Amino acid sequence: MQKTILLIEDNQDIRENTAELLELEGYLVITANNGTEGIRLAELELPDLVICDVLMQETDGYAVFSALLESTTTGHIPFVFMTAKSENADRAKALSIGYCDYLIKPFDENELFASVKKMLSDGGVENTR
């Protein structure tokens, strides 16, 4: 069965390029260009995985992750942060919210695919509760 990935990224080039890579690997990709739209789409579509930028206008990636975790319908969905912020404190903040993975931009396709496969096979946050 084809897995669905919700990609939340405010940079159009990164969003389109990442979505294309994932589609070429056989995933169905739904995209959102901001966190508010991403939360709405996650609740509507119930994807198998969410990949989300950290730094966005309005609702940042941390707020998206927290909102999805708090919802009974989306709380189980595995989550991957994408960010140019590579400080340990940023990674620690992400991990303090819940079980997730963390991709540092720019990443190559092998890093992306490895993170996606890891999170899909781990079953996301269900393993940590």
Side-chain angles (χ1 to χ4, degrees), residues 12-123:
Q12 182 177 350
D13 290 337
I14 294 172
R15 185 174 62 248
E16 289 175 356
N17 291 338
T18 305
E20 184 176 348
L21 285 171
L22 292 166
E23 287 167 349
L24 288 170
E25 276 294 292
Y27 297 106
L28 175 64
V29 181
I30 302 164
T31 61
N33 62 12
N34 64 60
T36 304
E37 181 185 358
I39 293 168
R40 185 184 65 75
L41 282 172
E43 292 171 347
L44 188 67
E45 301 289 337
L46 297 176
D48 297 293
L49 175 69
V50 174
I51 301 175
C52 184
D53 188 18
V54 171
L55 296 176
M56 296 182 291
Q57 298 296 321
E58 296 175 33
T59 309
D60 70 10
Y62 300 123
V64 170
F65 190 32
S66 293
L68 295 182
L69 281 176
E70 290 170 8
S71 169
T72 55
T73 56
T74 58
H76 68 283
I77 299 172
F79 199 93
V80 177
F81 283 101
M82 270 190 321
T83 183
K85 299 176 76 171
S86 61
E87 298 295 320
N88 285 336
D90 297 316
R91 184 182 297 251
K93 180 177 180 179
L95 293 171
S96 74
I97 298 170
Y99 180 70
C100 60
D101 204 8
Y102 203 85
L103 279 171
I104 309 287
K105 295 180 199 171
F107 49 82
D108 67 32
E109 62 187 54
N110 292 327
E111 291 173 298
L112 172 65
F113 300 150
S115 178
V116 167
K117 286 181 178 122
K118 171 187 168 199
M119 295 307 288
L120 288 173
S121 66
D122 282 358

